[in-house]
mmCIF file of all heavy atoms in Angstrom:
data_model
loop_
_atom_site.group_PDB
_atom_site.id
_atom_site.type_symbol
_atom_site.label_atom_id
_atom_site.label_comp_id
_atom_site.label_asym_id
_atom_site.label_seq_id
_atom_site.Cartn_x
_atom_site.Cartn_y
_atom_site.Cartn_z
ATOM 1 N N PHE Q 19 85.039 106.935 112.082
ATOM 2 C CA PHE Q 19 84.712 108.211 112.675
ATOM 3 C C PHE Q 19 84.813 109.366 111.648
ATOM 4 O O PHE Q 19 83.960 110.200 111.548
ATOM 5 C CB PHE Q 19 85.592 108.501 113.904
ATOM 6 C CG PHE Q 19 85.394 109.867 114.457
ATOM 7 C CD1 PHE Q 19 84.241 110.207 115.170
ATOM 8 C CD2 PHE Q 19 86.360 110.832 114.288
ATOM 9 C CE1 PHE Q 19 84.093 111.488 115.709
ATOM 10 C CE2 PHE Q 19 86.192 112.126 114.786
ATOM 11 C CZ PHE Q 19 85.010 112.376 115.545
ATOM 12 N N TRP Q 24 82.033 113.308 107.908
ATOM 13 C CA TRP Q 24 81.733 113.903 106.590
ATOM 14 C C TRP Q 24 80.373 113.534 106.129
ATOM 15 O O TRP Q 24 79.706 114.354 105.428
ATOM 16 C CB TRP Q 24 82.768 113.384 105.551
ATOM 17 C CG TRP Q 24 84.138 114.051 105.691
ATOM 18 C CD1 TRP Q 24 85.323 113.518 105.971
ATOM 19 C CD2 TRP Q 24 84.368 115.458 105.410
ATOM 20 N NE1 TRP Q 24 86.319 114.475 106.015
ATOM 21 C CE2 TRP Q 24 85.768 115.685 105.646
ATOM 22 C CE3 TRP Q 24 83.586 116.532 105.090
ATOM 23 C CZ2 TRP Q 24 86.302 116.937 105.603
ATOM 24 C CZ3 TRP Q 24 84.126 117.804 104.932
ATOM 25 C CH2 TRP Q 24 85.497 118.003 105.147
ATOM 26 N N ILE Q 79 130.238 103.303 97.616
ATOM 27 C CA ILE Q 79 130.197 102.582 98.857
ATOM 28 C C ILE Q 79 129.845 101.127 98.570
ATOM 29 O O ILE Q 79 130.441 100.121 99.161
ATOM 30 C CB ILE Q 79 129.249 103.140 99.910
ATOM 31 C CG1 ILE Q 79 129.851 104.474 100.377
ATOM 32 C CG2 ILE Q 79 129.056 102.246 101.108
ATOM 33 C CD1 ILE Q 79 128.888 105.235 101.342
ATOM 34 N N TYR Q 228 102.796 100.412 84.398
ATOM 35 C CA TYR Q 228 101.888 99.574 83.615
ATOM 36 C C TYR Q 228 101.234 98.467 84.453
ATOM 37 O O TYR Q 228 100.055 98.254 84.278
ATOM 38 C CB TYR Q 228 102.682 98.898 82.471
ATOM 39 C CG TYR Q 228 103.315 99.870 81.581
ATOM 40 C CD1 TYR Q 228 104.692 100.102 81.592
ATOM 41 C CD2 TYR Q 228 102.585 100.700 80.712
ATOM 42 C CE1 TYR Q 228 105.332 101.016 80.784
ATOM 43 C CE2 TYR Q 228 103.175 101.586 79.921
ATOM 44 C CZ TYR Q 228 104.594 101.775 79.888
ATOM 45 O OH TYR Q 228 105.123 102.644 79.116
ATOM 46 N N GLY Q 237 91.430 94.675 89.448
ATOM 47 C CA GLY Q 237 90.839 94.692 90.807
ATOM 48 C C GLY Q 237 89.514 95.356 90.935
ATOM 49 O O GLY Q 237 88.788 95.028 91.865
ATOM 50 N N LYS Q 292 143.432 143.035 88.128
ATOM 51 C CA LYS Q 292 144.025 141.817 88.600
ATOM 52 C C LYS Q 292 143.519 141.438 89.994
ATOM 53 O O LYS Q 292 143.460 142.429 90.849
ATOM 54 C CB LYS Q 292 145.515 141.884 88.586
ATOM 55 C CG LYS Q 292 146.146 141.987 87.152
ATOM 56 C CD LYS Q 292 147.648 142.051 87.195
ATOM 57 C CE LYS Q 292 148.192 142.157 85.786
ATOM 58 N NZ LYS Q 292 149.699 142.141 85.826
ATOM 59 N N PRO Q 305 155.892 144.806 96.375
ATOM 60 C CA PRO Q 305 155.249 146.156 96.097
ATOM 61 C C PRO Q 305 154.525 146.047 94.744
ATOM 62 O O PRO Q 305 154.893 145.310 93.874
ATOM 63 C CB PRO Q 305 156.489 147.015 95.986
ATOM 64 C CG PRO Q 305 157.598 146.136 95.703
ATOM 65 C CD PRO Q 305 157.369 144.784 96.300
ATOM 66 N N ALA Q 327 165.312 169.852 109.737
ATOM 67 C CA ALA Q 327 166.764 169.789 109.727
ATOM 68 C C ALA Q 327 167.400 171.132 109.178
ATOM 69 O O ALA Q 327 168.529 171.485 109.533
ATOM 70 C CB ALA Q 327 167.211 168.582 108.881
#
Side-chain angles (χ1 to χ4, degrees):
F19 173 72
W24 284 115
I79 292 176
Y228 304 106
K292 295 183 179 180

